[in-house]
Amino acid sequence: MGDGANVETKWVYSFGGGSSDGSAALKNLLGGKGANLAEMASLGLPVPPGFTLTTEVCTAYYDLEESYPGGLDAEVDEALKALEQKTGKVFGDAANPLLVSVRSGARASMPGMMDTVLNLGLSEVTVQGLAAKAGERFAYDSYRRFIQMYSNVVLGLRHDTFEYILDDYKDSQGFELDTEMEAGDWKEIVSQYKAAVQDKLGKPFPDDAREQLWGAIGAVFGSWMNDRAILYRKLNDIPAEWGTAVNVQSMVFGNMGETSATGVAFTRDPSTGGNTFYGEFLTNAQGEDVVAGIRTPAPISRARADELKSDEAPLEEVMPRVYKQLTDVADTLEAHYRDMQDIEFTVEDGVLYMLQTRNGKRTAAAALKIAVDMAKEGLISEDEAILRLEPAQLDQLLHPTISPSAKRDVVVKGLPASPGAAVGQVVFDSNEAAHLAEAGRAVILVRVETSPEDIHGMHAARAIVTARGGMTSHAAVVARGMGRPCVCGAGNLQIDTEAGVFRVGGREVKKGEIITVDGAEGEVLFGEVEMQQPDLSGDFGVLMAWADKVRKLNVRTNAETPADVNVAKEFGAEGIGLCRTEHMFFDAERIPVVRSMILAGSKEGREAALEKLLPMQRSDFEEIFRIMGEQPCTIRLLDPPLHEFMPHSEAEMQEVAASSGMDIKALKAQADALHESNPMLGHRGCRLGITYPEIYAMQARAIFEAAVAVASETGAKPVPEVMIPLVGTRKELDILKAVVDTAAKAVFSETGTVLDYLVGTMIELPRAALRAGQIAETAEFFSFGTNDLTQTTLGISRDDAGRFLTSYEEQGIYEKDPFVTIDQDGVGELVRMAAERGRATRSGIKLGICGEHGGDPASVIFCHNIGLDYVSCSPYRVPIARLAAAHAVLNKG
Ligand code: PEP
Ligand code: MG
């Protein structure tokens, strides 16, 4: 035993027999399983007694270079003695042997990651005692199971070593099933197993109960550092320092004949959340048999059996008295823990024992229903119900999904990049996708990978499938932002664009054929599969209304098409935080006019083209104001560099030259001249507005004319907030605010209607954040453009495929993609500082955020904490932001 341990430390906690040293509150020390066993025992529930070696033993074990802290062996001895007293059995005794299970149990559940040993304590001597009580056949069957399990987990031998022996033996006897094996057969197997251990390891299988126990304890602590466990912890953010506990518990046998059983149950349905007892069981079996799937378990209740159309008799009918006791225990546990429980139980010769309880994992739909039901039942408060649902989980509920009863013929599996499901015809080209969608067709865009040039095709498509790229590829990020289902990285897809076909596993899908995409599962399915629409009323509406009562932040949306604005409004958006006007210029009818404006050599030429654009923009804004009523609409004036509107391909150049009557060479020269070598920082945003004020003047006029028109049409007063992009100094804003104010004044005097409006700016450059104090002298609001602010602060952008530097994440240079979460690497600091400086100049200045971070739950909480007025995000993220904003309030303090 190592030294250096604190003598005060209690390493071992006993439970069972009506009392416990520990409780559920000691989860960090006892692990989830140990803490809940202690709690259940204290509640007087039938828990086989046992004891827990704490997670601190694990930590000490590794600190002491894999030796145990001083005093541990004495505490284990004492706990064993107490256990012998409680059970009336003796560890290692020939006549009345105590047998135990040894199981891991970390703070966070790590299913299947670590090791378990059952039936420990069996030996040549103790097996006799067990035989005397439970029969020879049962005793030797248990013994051979123990030898196999222990040899695998503790001694490191492979399972198949033992499986071959058993198979050979059965063959030699002409047996098919284990049930044909008699006591003598198992006895023979035991001796062959032991011989195999001796043969492989050069030493005998341990026959001493205590030696076995310490071997198993060491194996469980050792399994904390196995590769599987390490990987699982990494994926789930579980620190290695937490350690695992070890639970030593007296054995109960579910495999002692037809009056014994073992099973797993949930106090409510974990897939729908319905308040029905849910679960399955096997008679005459041990726990592993349920998990191993060798025999199919039977449903627990009559109702469940009917639902599954199962012919198997449910526990409710096989053991009615036990069933009643089990449902009583389930009720007690749910009322006590105030959450849905996932329980494991064993029935030994008609007597029920509880082996585990924990909060059950559940789908998003179940989480929602259970939270709302429990609040209505008075089990939890509305605030607790709000906290029971992770904002990010909502994403699963906001998209149409494949009906659970639908038949699935899978074409290919990839990554579940963006949830939801969609049906449509296969298209390989983004332009074609856009054309077909315009003609009212449902299309699925299938590409090797996507780039920013595919945006229109992605927007037009119902879903996106790519052969390459991960969960943060361009396709994945953009699809999630747009709320489009997406499967990416489907590596087996061979796309032959020329032939208009993709092939996978010997099957072929041609352009135009119908497929279904299941973004939540990452599957592409043949044909049209039946869907179900998300239900935004019912429990969803109830929970969101509770969240709305609590939250302080307003939630707006980034949207410009009437379709998106409508969706956002349905999802509860309270205004528009960003209407990107440039998107309105890409329309097929408009782009030639935009190009003629850009190519005009003079102010007059530009103004003539702008005159044609004015009514188009006005009607865009009218539609938006009509939908949003008196809710604020932040409309951003033209932002991107002009080359984005220029033709790119040779064919397009030809077409534009022909229609504009321009010489193709001159056209190319113009396009080249406009090309920004650094489009992020070049001649764009307010810089463009300052060079060509007539563009902003036209846009401002369109906004005010639309607002006045809708006001007189509907009687509701639109609330325009005109936003100038890419400002770095107050002077820039002064010049452009004057352009906007002039347009407003003109429209108001022409129409005789005066409306309130604001002029403000984006804070999306570090310089703007630094100058926020001066900028606020002119700006009536700030909206943090954290997309550009992240790129310009970090000096790093996403690549063309939308990927952030993966190597940086892998090496821990950035913990999380800073384009997703704001509060790291300076971006959050700049936002906080600019907010403070802005407020210092203009108290009550309206502050919001419209970068992608506005839809990230952690960033929403950050925005709440620094006192922003609102967050704005893409339509499908609006409910997520509403819930996150409520969490921000409730998690405080
Ligand atoms: C931003 O920069 O954060 C922003 C919202 O603008 P865009 O994404 O259009 O550059
Ligand atoms: Mg920007």
Side-chain angles (χ1 to χ4, degrees), residues 630-674:
E630 297 197 344
Q631 291 182 320
C633 297
T634 303
I635 297 171
R636 181 178 74 187
L637 304 186
L638 196 68
D639 183 43
L642 294 179
H643 78 251
E644 287 198 8
F645 301 101
M646 294 303 283
H648 297 291
S649 67
E650 181 65 29
E652 275 183 303
M653 284 279 181
Q654 301 274 9
E655 202 185 303
V656 172
S659 64
S660 67
M662 233 178 132
D663 173 55
I664 180 105
K665 274 211 190 104
L667 177 66
K668 281 185 182 162
Q670 269 270 28
D672 272 353
L674 285 169

Side-chain angles (χ1 to χ4, degrees), residues 380-431:
I380 58 176
S381 67
E382 287 180 9
D383 288 356
E384 283 174 298
I386 293 168
L387 290 170
R388 289 278 169 95
L389 209 67
E390 281 305 316
Q393 267 186 312
L394 278 184
D395 212 19
Q396 282 181 41
L397 303 175
L398 300 175
H399 303 269
T401 47
I402 304 222
S403 157
S405 57
K407 265 224 183 90
R408 309 169 73 100
D409 181 0
V410 177
V411 183
V412 70
K413 236 181 129 46
L415 297 169
S418 176
V423 182
Q425 66 184 83
V426 172
V427 177
F428 297 107
D429 177 85
S430 287
N431 290 331

Side-chain angles (χ1 to χ4, degrees), residues 686 724-730 732-733 761-762 764-765 768 775:
C686 65
I724 313 295
L726 216 77
V727 160
T729 69
R730 182 189 139 173
E732 288 168 328
L733 187 60
T761 183
M762 300 199 60
E764 54 185 336
L765 295 174
I775 292 172

Side-chain angles (χ1 to χ4, degrees), residues 409 411 422-424 513-517 525-529:
D409 181 0
V411 183
V423 182
E513 283 187 51
I514 301 292
I515 56 171
T516 300
V517 175
L525 312 165
F526 280 106
E528 174 166 358
V529 178

Side-chain angles (χ1 to χ4, degrees), residues 167 170-171 173-181:
D167 287 347
K170 286 201 292 196
D171 282 351
Q173 303 297 311
F175 295 158
E176 296 250 318
L177 301 171
D178 286 4
T179 44
E180 292 167 74
M181 301 276 287

Side-chain angles (χ1 to χ4, degrees), residues 837-865:
R837 292 186 180 180
R839 270 197 216 103
T841 299
R842 185 188 289 264
S843 70
I845 185 172
K846 204 181 240 190
L847 300 172
I849 181 172
C850 64
E852 284 298 308
H853 302 86
D856 164 56
S859 303
V860 171
I861 290 171
F862 175 87
C863 292
H864 167 90
N865 290 339

Side-chain angles (χ1 to χ4, degrees), residues 68 180 232 280 353 375 397 478 523 607 639 652 671 776 811:
Y68 296 111
E180 292 167 74
Y232 187 90
E280 48 191 26
Y353 293 96
L397 303 175
V478 173
E523 286 182 353
E607 279 175 343
D639 183 43
E652 275 183 303
Q811 293 177 39

Side-chain angles (χ1 to χ4, degrees), residues 344-561:
E344 288 175 19
F345 63 92
T346 283
V347 183
E348 182 184 282
D349 198 14
V351 181
L352 175 70
Y353 293 96
M354 301 307 301
L355 297 186
Q356 168 142 320
T357 189
R358 58 186 164 188
N359 292 342
K361 289 212 164 39
R362 61 204 82 179
T363 63
L368 172 65
K369 177 158 176 51
I370 291 171
V372 172
D373 282 354
M374 286 192 168
K376 287 184 176 166
E377 289 159 21
L379 202 55
I380 58 176
S381 67
E382 287 180 9
D383 288 356
E384 283 174 298
I386 293 168
L387 290 170
R388 289 278 169 95
L389 209 67
E390 281 305 316
Q393 267 186 312
L394 278 184
D395 212 19
Q396 282 181 41
L397 303 175
L398 300 175
H399 303 269
T401 47
I402 304 222
S403 157
S405 57
K407 265 224 183 90
R408 309 169 73 100
D409 181 0
V410 177
V411 183
V412 70
K413 236 181 129 46
L415 297 169
S418 176
V423 182
Q425 66 184 83
V426 172
V427 177
F428 297 107
D429 177 85
S430 287
N431 290 331
E432 196 175 349
H435 286 140
L436 285 171
E438 232 163 75
R441 310 286 275 279
V443 298
I444 309 275
L445 183 63
V446 181
R447 311 258 321 144
V448 174
E449 58 190 348
T450 62
S451 74
E453 283 173 20
D454 292 308
I455 296 286
H456 61 304
M458 297 172 78
H459 200 268
R462 298 283 169 94
I464 298 132
V465 178
T466 68
R468 264 194 240 142
M471 294 293 283
T472 58
S473 65
H474 179 266
V477 171
V478 173
R480 283 197 292 272
M482 288 177 174
R484 297 290 180 283
C486 174
V487 173
C488 63
N492 293 336
L493 273 192
Q494 288 177 328
I495 302 175
D496 184 344
T497 322
E498 298 278 288
V501 63
F502 71 75
R503 299 187 184 89
V504 59
R507 293 167 93 170
E508 226 181 58
V509 176
K510 293 197 193 67
K511 189 171 100 172
E513 283 187 51
I514 301 292
I515 56 171
T516 300
V517 175
D518 184 343
E521 292 295 323
E523 286 182 353
V524 180
L525 312 165
F526 280 106
E528 174 166 358
V529 178
E530 194 194 325
M531 301 283 200
Q532 59 188 22
Q533 289 302 316
D535 179 13
L536 301 183
S537 56
D539 292 332
F540 179 87
V542 171
L543 192 90
M544 292 312 292
W546 292 344
D548 290 345
K549 272 196 297 194
V550 167
R551 70 185 157 92
K552 301 272 188 296
L553 274 172
N554 281 314
V555 177
R556 301 193 191 182
T557 192
N558 296 355
E560 43 276 328
T561 67

